[in-house]
């Protein structure tokens, strides 16, 4: 299957133009005319995942985080990023990244996170705009709102401790950081996967009891506690490690005949002690 054909299908459902201006979702390295038979899915592209892709004969890596974010002035095998770019090109490995374009779209990462908890989103936390999406069921183009984060209105009070323990089990996470009293009841929660701690203020404005996200800073925690907004910090990695499993069925659907698998590399840089 040609790379261009695969990317055209992805863009129908998750248009690259939905990404934020600072992002670099899309084809980071590649030849649109190349043949793709083997695809590897990963949250991050690192030295280990590149080595894995080379060893397994991968033609295309699809990652969540952009491989090329900062400006690259030169490509040599003397620096970390240059060495990886050099190896990827030398081994004819294409790199496609689905970052904020996937975060904000319907049935993207935030929706999948909510689905893991067996809930349906009630609304978008931070609406960005409207865009046209391809509906595979009706084979038509539909106009829908998109934006970052999802809010769920529970309709009944749940003890935060019980709710969060169930979520920890679903995500296979042992430790989280919590701002607020775990014995309090919650009637609503919001999810912003990755780094979304700054949304505690928006949660306060929209009467959301609990924000689930990662990367919360100390002073943000102080302010959110003062406002009475509970925040559960599951970590950047903890909220986005589900990327590969969230997208694999869709990639299999559009890439019939290709071998598609999740990376075996565990890339969380942090160790709990």
């Amino acid at each position: 299957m040609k790379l261009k054909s695969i990317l055209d299908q992805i863009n129908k459902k998750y248009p690259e133009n939905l990404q934020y201006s600072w992002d670099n979702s899309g084809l980071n390295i590649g030849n649109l005319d190349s043949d793709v038979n083997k695809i590897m899915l990963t949250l991050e592209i690192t030295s280990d995942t590149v080595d894995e892709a080379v060893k397994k004969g991968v033609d295309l890596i699809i990652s969540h985080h952009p491989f090329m974010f900062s400006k690259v002035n030169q490509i040599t095998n003397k620096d970390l990023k240059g060495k990886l770019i050099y190896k990827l090109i030398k081994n004819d490995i294409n790199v496609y990244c689905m970052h904020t374009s996937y975060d904000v779209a319907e049935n993207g990462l935030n929706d999948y996170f909510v689905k893991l908890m067996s809930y349906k989103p009630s609304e978008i936390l931070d609406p960005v705009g409207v865009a046209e999406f391809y509906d595979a069921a009706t084979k038509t183009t539909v106009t829908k709102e998109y934006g970052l984060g999802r809010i769920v209105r529970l309709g009944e009070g749940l003890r935060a401790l019980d709710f969060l323990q169930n979520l920890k089990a679903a995500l296979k996470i042992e430790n989280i950081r919590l701002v607020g009293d775990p014995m309090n009841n919650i009637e609503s929660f919001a999810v912003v996967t990755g780094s979304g701690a700054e949304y505690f203020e928006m949660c306060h404005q929209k009467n959301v009891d609990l924000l689930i996200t990662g990367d919360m800073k100390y002073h943000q925690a102080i302010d959110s506690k003062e406002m009475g907004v509970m925040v559960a910090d599951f970590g950047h990695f903890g909220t986005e490690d589900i990327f590969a499993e969230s997208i694999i069925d869709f990639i299999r659907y559009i890439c019939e005949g290709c071998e598609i698998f999740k990376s075996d590399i565990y890339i969380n840089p942090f160790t709990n002690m």
Side-chain angles (χ1 to χ4, degrees):
M1 191 170 185
K2 295 294 184 182
L3 177 62
K4 184 180 185 304
S5 178
I6 295 173
L7 302 192
D8 286 345
Q9 293 299 314
I10 292 175
N11 270 282
K12 284 182 180 180
K13 189 172 180 64
Y14 304 108
E16 292 173 12
N17 61 10
L18 300 187
Q19 67 182 294
Y20 288 97
S21 59
W22 48 263
D23 197 12
N24 193 31
S25 293
L27 186 62
N28 280 199
I29 296 176
N31 174 7
L32 291 173
D33 294 324
S34 62
D35 291 314
V36 174
N37 297 298
K38 191 175 290 189
I39 302 171
M40 186 175 80
L41 310 176
T42 181
L43 172 64
E44 204 84 52
I45 296 178
T46 65
S47 300
D48 288 337
T49 53
V50 170
D51 287 343
E52 180 186 18
V54 172
K55 182 178 180 180
K56 294 180 177 179
V58 168
D59 305 301
L60 170 63
I61 299 175
I62 298 178
S63 71
H64 183 49
H65 291 140
F67 174 60
M68 300 174 70
F69 228 144
S70 304
K71 181 180 178 182
V72 177
N73 292 315
Q74 59 182 2
I75 300 174
T76 73
N77 61 358
K78 299 299 183 183
D79 67 270
L80 178 60
K81 184 67 70 173
K83 185 183 297 183
L84 295 182
I85 294 172
Y86 189 87
K87 183 178 290 188
L88 287 162
I89 294 174
K90 184 179 179 180
N91 287 277
D92 295 320
I93 299 174
N94 302 285
V95 173
Y96 186 77
C97 308
M98 301 174 64
H99 193 212
T100 56
S101 57
Y102 186 57
D103 286 334
V104 302
E106 184 179 45
N107 294 318
L109 193 58
N110 284 274
D111 282 318
Y112 186 80
F113 192 104
V114 172
K115 182 181 176 182
L116 278 180
M117 296 183 283
S118 301
Y119 292 108
K120 291 183 178 180
S122 305
E123 58 192 279
I124 296 173
L125 175 61
D126 185 18
V128 175
V130 294
E132 292 186 342
F133 300 89
Y134 179 74
D135 188 332
T138 62
K139 296 183 179 180
T140 59
T141 300
V142 295
T143 300
K144 293 184 178 180
E145 186 179 48
Y146 68 95
L148 192 63
R150 299 294 184 266
I151 296 174
V152 176
R153 306 287 180 185
L154 297 171
E156 61 178 350
L158 295 176
R159 192 171 67 158
L161 177 63
D162 300 328
F163 176 84
L164 293 172
Q165 292 286 32
N166 290 334
L167 180 55
K168 285 169 62 180
L171 294 174
K172 299 179 177 63
I173 291 178
E174 294 183 4
N175 301 298
I176 67 170
R177 298 190 303 166
L178 181 67
V179 178
D181 187 347
M183 303 309 292
N184 286 347
N185 280 357
I186 60 169
E187 296 183 359
S188 58
F189 69 89
V191 172
V192 181
T193 56
S195 182
E198 69 270 21
Y199 283 96
F200 72 88
E201 294 182 90
M202 188 172 291
C203 287
H204 177 68
Q205 295 166 4
K206 296 192 173 187
N207 297 313
V208 174
D209 299 322
L210 168 68
L211 171 62
I212 301 166
T213 190
D215 293 347
M216 183 156 228
K217 298 178 181 179
Y218 172 80
H219 291 291
Q220 291 173 325
I222 291 292
D223 291 343
S224 66
K225 188 173 183 179
E226 289 288 303
M227 289 182 181
V229 177
M230 189 179 299
V231 180
D233 187 338
F234 276 73
H236 200 125
F237 176 84
T239 57
E240 294 190 332
D241 185 40
I242 56 174
F243 167 74
E245 69 180 64
S246 75
I247 197 71
I248 193 167
D249 287 342
F250 171 68
I251 300 300
R252 282 175 175 158
Y253 175 74
I254 65 171
C255 300
E256 188 175 353
C258 294
E259 181 182 349
I260 300 153
F261 59 92
K262 297 181 288 185
S263 169
D264 292 329
I265 304 298
Y266 183 76
I267 53 88
N268 188 357
F270 295 105
T271 299
N272 291 317
M273 296 183 65

